Amino acid sequence: MTDTLNHGLIDDLYRLGENIADTKAPADVPIEQLWTTAKFENKLVNPANRRKLSVIIVGTGLAGAAAAATMGEAGYHVKAFCYQDSPRRAHSIAAQGGINAAKNYNDDGDSIYRLFYDTVKGGDYRSRETNVYRLAEVSTNIIDQCVAQGVPFARDYGGLLDNRSFGGVQVARTFYARGQTGQQLLIGAYQAMERQVAAGTVQEYVRHEMLELIVVDGKARGIIARDMVTGEIETHVADVVVLASGGYGNVFFLSTNAMGCNVTATWRAHRKGAYFANPCYTQIHPTCIPVSGDHQSKLTLMSESLRNDGRIWVPKRKEDCDKDPRDIPEEDRDYYLERIYPAFGNLVPRDIASRQAKYMCDEGRGVGPMVGDFRRGVYLDFSDAVSRMGAEAVKAKYGNLFDMYARITGEDPYQVPMRIYPAVHYTMGGLWVDYDLETTIPGLYAIGEANFSDHGANRLGASSLMQCLGDGYFVLPNTIRNYLAEGPFEQVTEDHPAVVEARQSVEGRIEQLLSVNGERSVDSFHKELGHIMWEYCGMERTEEGLRKAIGQIRSLREEFWRNVRVLGSAKTLNQSLEKAGRVADFLELGELMCIDALHRRESCGGHFRAESQTEDGEALRHDDEFLYVAAWEFAGEPSGAPGAPVLHKEDLIYKAIELKQRSYK
Amino acid sequence: MNLTLKIWRQDGPDTAGELVTYPVTNISEDMSFLEMLDVLNEELTAKGEEPVAFDSDCREGICGMCSLMINGEAHGPEVTTTCQLHMRSFRDGETITIEPWRASAFPLVRDLVVDRSAFDRIIQAGGYISVNTGAAVEANNMQVPKVAADRAFDTATCIGCGACVAACPNASGMLFLGAKVTHLGELPQGQAERDSRVVSMLNQHDHDGFGGCTNIGECAAACPKEIPLDVISQLNADFRQAKKHA
């Protein structure tokens, strides 16, 4: 973990450290047998010993609830924490479109290998091959598990499960429950977890927020949490800590994430020594409802399953942009995705669909109301689908999405084409983990969106639910045994210096936030940070823009600690205080995202560097220079502010898949 | 739009509460109701007054975290969640009264925030299918007739927001409970525990202080996910069956 001495500061922004590697995947085993081998070789913990071991799980979305349920069933003592008033509210609930699994129920050529291949290719060869293969392998078990729990997936008239295809793939491997797949899967995992609460194996702590990680002798041994109702600062120790706290898209302020989604749990762990991998990989979702004004608090996603039947277009001529779309004849419409990418058409991967929409609007061919001096929207038109299938069939497939659109915009999408625009959706970066999903802090695991390993630089549609449930139900419970088998561990008491230090740092920070008593609200800082991030670290990044952003974030952070206004007390429910702590962490993460984006002088997946594109404007990777995971080590200054982080590279090794330049033409 | 808001302020469960009047100006009709409250809270913060505490999270109508009695109606005048209620549903100059969910099973936490963990306890009492991870059979070994699958789905759309309880003069949670019983009872996987589930969940419901159903129907009328009232008949039917089998 030390810097190599022959590298000094690079542009003063970061240092190079030693390379790292995943040493946990079984060596010299064909990829098809890796997971079976690993499961066999992983140590066992006998049922009597499991009762002596304790697990903390932070976050109770798909990954966290699934892990809590499974670890509870296995007989461990589980404490599960969430900031919401119930685990059922985790933001996994909002996923609409579906969950992938290599079931090949349609005999359309799908297989574990093809799902693996599509995922690696879709992630622009920036994910770890061994982890991804396992993900594809466990995908089929996920569907079995969920059906057994009573998840009401869509079925055909014969009573069997139905499938559809999703952006970026040419087979129908997506299982769905109307437009509410996330909700139904989460309710399944939540119910499985509540069953364990009743059984006494899982204790749930709602309205609790993890504010610090406890590290004793280099190992994760617990968390400091705040009871958000009473304000009490609580110490929870355990033998192992699992972070399932989701992604950090809210660094952009406007995103499709829930209002409470935050980076605090993973950022606090990062500050304690867990490497943060590929922070700049942000997925921009192509089909969201466009911004309507300054008051906007969040963006609403429309399932990209809509791209199966909706056709995306803009007017060919700028002067048609303010016309009623129904008055623009066929020959004056540019179905640009079908034109540029005939093989995939409207189903191109998310990064391509998003960027092309941006280009159309940048060219001045966007539609909808002017926001600033731009029209930020393209049409997603269902008129062909209505004539082909009938309005009733369209309603059966997408009814709830159409209703939601109508409610938010006040327009009827059965009559007028929807307007969509890209928005920040999912973050592929996260804590660095090995094949066991263990971070660089022993005894600290990260699962679901909180880790980085499976999606590379871009996530395929319907793959997030798969990864979260795969990690929670099947992967973590099998890999964590390797660590737990070394237990039981020495007891950690509340007066241990590491616990006292963690607790004091939380209390000090809260006190500091409350005592600044400045002029500006927390939200105003968050909005300003979001604006900087979207402008310079959003859909397209440049060297110049990123450098500018880093400077702006630093001064904003300085102003935050000098001028934020957080009213009220620490001893009650205090939503401004909650937000302030999260925004303080976003202000540090934002800088790291920009540094990561700046150092990666290539375009891949959700990371598009304007300096690195082909003559046709397609993303241009540089595998010779950047075929690695960027794992960042925190290096703070004595003041506590983040100093120049240390970059550790993990070379990506592809044995099963041949590296190709991605082309969807 | 310019509006007058009368908002319930209460520091905690043990202190007295009152309706406090706040004017808001320049409200756009494209704002959601919660965005309008965000605007108010920014103004309060600027004036040095503590912002109004209210629950919300996804703000896209699915997590069920937002609540609010608006002019006496759960989630306000439209059949939707508060986060999906837009200011175009109100008139310029209107006075809007905003209160927390009202039910003794949902104790007040602060201002407009209530504690709905009683719903979690009802689920803990049996709102699940007992299957351990890794024990599941191949999914397509079991066929579910489409009619049953659709009915199961329709009732599984409950988001647990608690509007049904807040709207009910008896503060009954039977629409919530009935939705879960119907969802799991429609599926072949749910049959093994069908009797024990309904008895145990209903006992927990009563124990937590929810009232009984007297067929008023306010619950279904207020439900943002339009859970049909007949899930309560299903609940009663299942309960009678369970008693017969016992």
Side-chain angles (χ1 to χ4, degrees):
Chain A
M1 311 221 177
T2 52
D3 306 358
T4 41
L5 292 173
N6 54 348
H7 288 96
L9 279 175
I10 295 168
D11 301 339
D12 294 332
L13 287 174
Y14 66 95
R15 289 170 195 271
L16 266 187
E18 288 159 1
N19 276 19
I20 52 168
D22 168 33
T23 55
K24 299 281 183 62
D28 303 321
V29 177
I31 202 159
E32 296 81 6
Q33 290 158 32
L34 264 184
W35 182 228
T36 309
T37 309
K39 276 191 290 186
F40 179 72
E41 288 178 353
N42 285 352
K43 296 183 192 104
L44 297 176
V45 182
N46 90 51
N49 285 344
R50 291 178 209 163
R51 290 195 287 273
K52 300 174 195 152
L53 292 162
S54 55
V55 184
I56 282 174
I57 299 175
V58 180
T60 54
L62 283 176
T70 309
M71 300 293 289
E73 281 162 22
Y76 301 99
H77 288 283
V78 179
K79 286 182 175 184
F81 295 79
C82 67
Y83 72 77
Q84 298 92 344
D85 70 330
S86 164
R88 67 174 297 142
R89 315 231 189 264
H91 197 53
S92 308
I93 208 164
Q96 295 168 353
I99 177 166
N100 286 333
K103 283 285 200 184
N104 195 30
Y105 282 163
N106 305 309
D107 197 24
D108 55 3
D110 201 9
S111 63
I112 288 171
Y113 189 87
R114 192 178 295 277
L115 175 52
F116 158 64
Y117 175 84
D118 285 348
T119 307
V120 171
K121 179 186 173 203
D124 235 347
Y125 303 91
R126 293 293 177 265
S127 48
R128 190 190 288 145
E129 198 181 72
T130 48
N131 288 52
V132 179
Y133 192 90
R134 174 177 63 192
L135 173 68
E137 198 175 330
V138 301
S139 68
T140 59
N141 303 119
I142 297 170
I143 303 305
D144 299 341
Q145 178 69 25
C146 296
V147 166
Q149 290 171 343
V151 170
F153 284 119
R155 288 178 182 265
D156 59 28
Y157 284 97
L160 298 176
L161 293 157
D162 193 16
N163 299 108
R164 59 187 176 197
S165 80
F166 232 70
V169 293
Q170 291 172 304
V171 291
R173 64 160 71 104
T174 306
F175 294 78
Y176 65 102
R178 239 170 271 172
Q180 305 179 5
T181 315
Q183 181 187 8
Q184 297 309 327
L185 295 175
L186 180 70
I187 294 297
Y190 155 76
Q191 288 173 182
M193 177 177 144
E194 295 302 314
R195 173 175 164 242
Q196 294 307 313
V197 172
T201 64
V202 175
Q203 280 175 278
E204 66 181 26
Y205 294 81
V206 301
R207 292 197 197 267
H208 273 67
E209 183 163 40
M210 165 181 163
L211 294 177
E212 198 53 87
L213 180 73
I214 298 171
V215 179
V216 177
D217 299 331
K219 289 178 178 166
R221 290 305 306 271
I223 63 167
I224 307 291
R226 179 170 180 270
D227 178 329
M228 293 153 70
V229 175
T230 64
E232 196 179 335
I233 304 300
E234 301 173 357
T235 301
H236 296 272
V237 293
D239 294 311
V240 70
V241 177
V242 180
L243 301 185
S245 49
Y248 48 84
N250 271 354
V251 68
F252 291 89
F253 186 72
L254 282 183
S255 81
T256 65
N257 288 9
M259 300 301 284
C261 292
N262 66 87
V263 78
T264 290
T266 53
W267 192 255
R268 296 281 117 199
H270 173 59
R271 291 183 64 111
K272 279 275 165 87
Y275 292 0
F276 208 113
N278 300 334
C280 81
Y281 289 168
T282 305
Q283 184 170 71
I284 312 285
H285 195 288
T287 53
C288 297
I289 299 178
V291 174
S292 66
D294 293 336
H295 56 266
Q296 200 103 17
S297 61
K298 75 154 278 151
L299 296 171
T300 302
L301 177 152
M302 302 293 290
S303 166
E304 70 172 343
S305 64
L306 291 169
R307 290 201 277 147
N308 274 316
D309 289 296
R311 297 180 69 199
I312 294 172
W313 63 277
V314 291
K316 282 185 179 163
R317 293 189 305 260
K318 287 178 194 176
E319 47 278 24
D320 286 350
C321 288
D322 52 0
K323 276 190 186 165
D324 183 324
R326 291 167 293 186
D327 296 338
I328 302 175
E330 202 62 22
E331 61 272 19
D332 291 338
R333 301 175 175 191
D334 180 8
Y335 295 91
Y336 56 91
L337 291 176
E338 298 170 33
R339 169 171 61 82
I340 310 173
Y341 308 97
F344 282 77
N346 294 299
L347 293 176
V348 291
R350 293 176 167 183
D351 59 320
I352 294 180
S354 298
R355 212 162 44 246
Q356 287 298 338
K358 177 179 190 289
Y359 291 157
M360 296 304 135
C361 297
D362 287 353
E363 269 179 34
R365 294 197 286 147
V367 297
M370 286 281 191
V371 180
D373 43 8
F374 260 114
R375 293 178 201 276
R376 289 191 169 87
V378 300
Y379 289 124
L380 176 61
D381 194 338
F382 282 84
S383 50
D384 278 7
V386 170
S387 9
R388 178 164 45 86
M389 303 154 60
E392 275 310 304
V394 171
K395 192 173 180 184
K397 252 176 142 171
Y398 307 114
N400 66 319
L401 298 169
F402 277 43
D403 291 348
M404 188 170 78
Y405 180 87
R407 183 167 296 289
I408 293 172
T409 61
E411 290 173 12
D412 176 9
Y414 293 98
Q415 302 296 325
V416 189
M418 287 182 180
R419 288 173 292 107
I420 53 163
Y421 196 67
V424 169
H425 179 46
Y426 185 93
T427 45
M428 280 76 66
L431 292 184
W432 186 90
V433 290
D434 59 23
Y435 191 71
D436 280 358
L437 306 182
E438 190 173 15
T439 68
T440 48
I441 300 177
L444 180 72
Y445 290 74
I447 59 177
E449 195 181 350
N451 75 22
F452 87 102
S453 57
D454 292 12
H455 303 303
N458 185 46
R459 176 175 61 73
L460 287 183
S463 283
S464 68
L465 303 183
M466 171 175 67
Q467 188 226 338
C468 290
L469 288 181
D471 283 0
Y473 283 133
F474 300 107
V475 180
L476 178 87
N478 275 299
T479 59
I480 204 169
R481 289 191 269 116
N482 267 333
Y483 186 83
L484 288 171
E486 292 165 22
F489 302 87
E490 206 177 317
Q491 278 293 321
V492 174
T493 54
E494 293 219 4
D495 57 0
H496 190 286
V499 178
V500 174
E501 180 275 323
R503 209 185 156 99
Q504 281 172 349
S505 96
V506 167
E507 285 163 349
R509 204 168 135 83
I510 289 174
E511 205 177 286
Q512 200 184 348
L513 287 168
L514 286 167
S515 63
V516 176
N517 202 19
E519 297 288 319
R520 286 182 62 179
S521 72
V522 176
D523 276 358
S524 78
F525 282 101
H526 196 175
K527 281 183 185 176
E528 191 174 335
L529 173 67
H531 182 76
I532 298 169
M533 294 302 293
W534 176 248
E535 201 59 34
Y536 301 115
C537 199
M539 252 192 286
E540 189 168 312
R541 295 112 186 241
T542 64
E543 170 102 22
E544 192 196 351
L546 288 163
R547 286 184 183 281
K548 200 165 161 182
I550 291 166
Q552 291 182 353
I553 293 169
R554 286 180 179 174
S555 29
L556 190 65
R557 192 166 61 230
E558 185 275 322
E559 193 197 338
F560 176 86
W561 287 106
R562 184 168 46 76
N563 197 25
V564 73
R565 170 178 285 191
V566 184
L567 300 167
S569 112
K571 297 290 174 203
T572 57
L573 181 80
N574 185 338
Q575 293 172 332
S576 309
L577 177 64
E578 293 160 18
K579 284 193 270 190
R582 296 170 191 161
V583 171
D585 287 338
F586 279 137
L587 282 163
E588 296 187 0
L589 166 78
E591 180 177 328
L592 184 67
M593 289 171 73
C594 292
I595 293 174
D596 186 42
L598 184 65
H599 106 281
R600 192 168 281 277
R601 291 185 177 86
E602 66 162 349
S603 295
C604 57
H607 170 61
F608 190 80
R609 273 293 289 267
E611 299 92 339
S612 184
Q613 51 182 308
T614 64
E615 282 177 8
D616 308 338
E618 299 293 332
L620 181 63
R621 288 198 329 256
H622 297 294
D623 292 337
D624 48 339
E625 281 181 84
F626 292 103
L627 195 62
Y628 62 77
V629 173
W632 296 93
E633 180 187 351
F634 184 80
E637 290 165 357
S639 64
V646 183
L647 171 62
H648 300 270
K649 298 175 180 176
E650 178 201 340
D651 288 329
L652 288 166
I653 300 156
Y654 292 99
K655 290 183 186 164
I657 279 184
E658 186 198 347
L659 225 60
K660 281 185 190 157
Q661 207 48 252
R662 206 156 61 112
S663 171
Y664 286 88
K665 289 205 170 176
Chain B
M1 301 161 79
N2 298 328
L3 302 161
T4 304
L5 306 176
K6 291 175 127 179
I7 300 181
W8 186 260
R9 302 297 308 256
Q10 187 173 345
D11 281 346
D14 303 325
T15 56
E18 59 173 343
L19 282 170
V20 180
T21 304
Y22 302 100
V24 285
T25 54
N26 287 324
I27 298 299
S28 149
E29 62 171 27
D30 287 331
M31 284 180 189
S32 73
F33 197 85
L34 300 180
E35 287 168 345
M36 183 272 295
L37 288 180
D38 291 342
V39 170
L40 170 71
N41 276 344
E42 284 290 281
E43 287 171 9
L44 290 179
T45 305
K47 281 195 281 186
E49 288 178 44
E50 271 197 73
V52 180
F54 63 91
D55 268 332
S56 79
D57 205 17
C58 78
R59 296 205 177 185
E60 50 187 276
I62 195 72
C63 79
M65 185 118 168
C66 61
S67 48
L68 306 190
M69 295 302 282
I70 299 166
N71 290 336
E73 292 184 90
H75 293 303
E78 313 274 339
V79 180
T80 187
T81 54
T82 305
C83 67
Q84 295 298 291
L85 175 67
H86 285 73
M87 295 315 292
R88 63 179 79 94
S89 301
F90 298 88
R91 294 182 319 277
D92 188 27
E94 206 171 321
T95 297
I96 306 174
T97 305
I98 309 169
E99 298 162 275
W101 273 176
R102 297 179 293 207
S104 59
F106 290 162
L108 187 126
V109 176
R110 186 170 204 207
D111 292 341
L112 303 171
V113 175
V114 300
D115 177 357
R116 285 167 284 191
S117 50
F119 271 8
D120 291 330
R121 290 191 290 275
I122 291 176
I123 297 298
Q124 286 156 20
Y128 47 75
I129 289 169
S130 295
V131 52
N132 280 3
T133 303
V137 294
E138 154 58 40
N140 256 353
N141 278 355
M142 190 173 355
Q143 282 105 333
V144 183
K146 194 165 188 315
V147 178
D150 286 352
R151 168 97 168 144
F153 179 87
D154 285 341
T155 53
T157 57
C158 168
I159 56 174
C161 64
C164 48
V165 177
C168 174
N170 303 330
S172 172
M174 283 174 75
L175 193 76
F176 169 79
L177 207 170
K180 187 47 56 188
V181 161
T182 309
H183 160 210
L184 299 176
E186 280 289 340
L187 299 169
Q189 305 90 305
Q191 299 314 308
E193 297 165 286
R194 190 164 177 175
D195 287 349
S196 59
R197 176 184 306 124
V198 66
V199 173
S200 166
M201 288 176 81
L202 204 48
N203 284 343
Q204 185 64 43
H205 168 274
D206 295 350
H207 176 80
D208 260 314
F210 293 100
C213 172
T214 51
N215 286 315
I216 293 168
E218 286 290 337
C219 54
C223 175
K225 298 299 160 183
E226 302 180 60
I227 302 287
L229 193 58
D230 67 2
V231 298
I232 298 179
S233 321
Q234 185 70 57
L235 170 74
N236 289 327
D238 277 21
F239 186 69
R240 280 195 300 275
Q241 279 294 321
K243 285 291 169 196
K244 227 185 272 175
H245 294 161

